[in-house]
Amino acid sequence: PVLVVAAALFSLGIYGILVRRNAVMVLLSIELILNSVNINFIMFDTMLADTLMQGQIFTIFIITIAIITTIES
C-alpha cells in the first residue's frame, strides 16, 4: 500500500507539472515528486534491510536540496 501511495503522489506531481502554468504550482508539483521518491527510498531501504542505509542517506540529501531551493527562491 505504501508504494501505491508513492506512485499516486508521483503521478499527481507529473500531472501538476504538465497542466499548471503557475510557477508556484509547478514548484509544489516538484515537491510532490521529491516526496514520492523519498517514500520509495525509505520503503526499499527497509524492505531490502540495507546495512549501509543508502535509502535514508539519499532521502536526507533530497530533503536538504528541497530546503535549499526553498530558501533561495
Side-chain angles (χ1 to χ4, degrees):
V2 176
L3 294 178
V4 173
V5 171
L9 279 176
F10 188 81
S11 300
L12 283 173
I14 293 294
Y15 177 77
I17 288 175
L18 294 176
V19 172
R20 303 292 180 191
R21 297 291 180 227
N22 188 1
V24 174
M25 294 303 291
V26 170
L27 288 174
L28 286 173
S29 299
I30 292 172
E31 290 291 328
L32 280 176
I33 292 173
L34 289 176
N35 286 331
S36 70
V37 170
N38 285 338
I39 291 171
N40 281 330
F41 277 146
I42 295 296
M43 271 308 294
F44 283 117
D45 187 48
T46 56
M47 283 174 35
L48 298 176
D50 189 15
T51 57
L52 296 176
M53 295 190 295
Q54 292 175 347
Q56 294 176 6
I57 292 171
F58 280 128
T59 301
I60 291 172
F61 283 145
I62 290 174
I63 291 171
T64 306
I65 290 171
I67 290 172
I68 290 171
T69 57
T70 305
I71 291 172
E72 288 181 356
S73 57

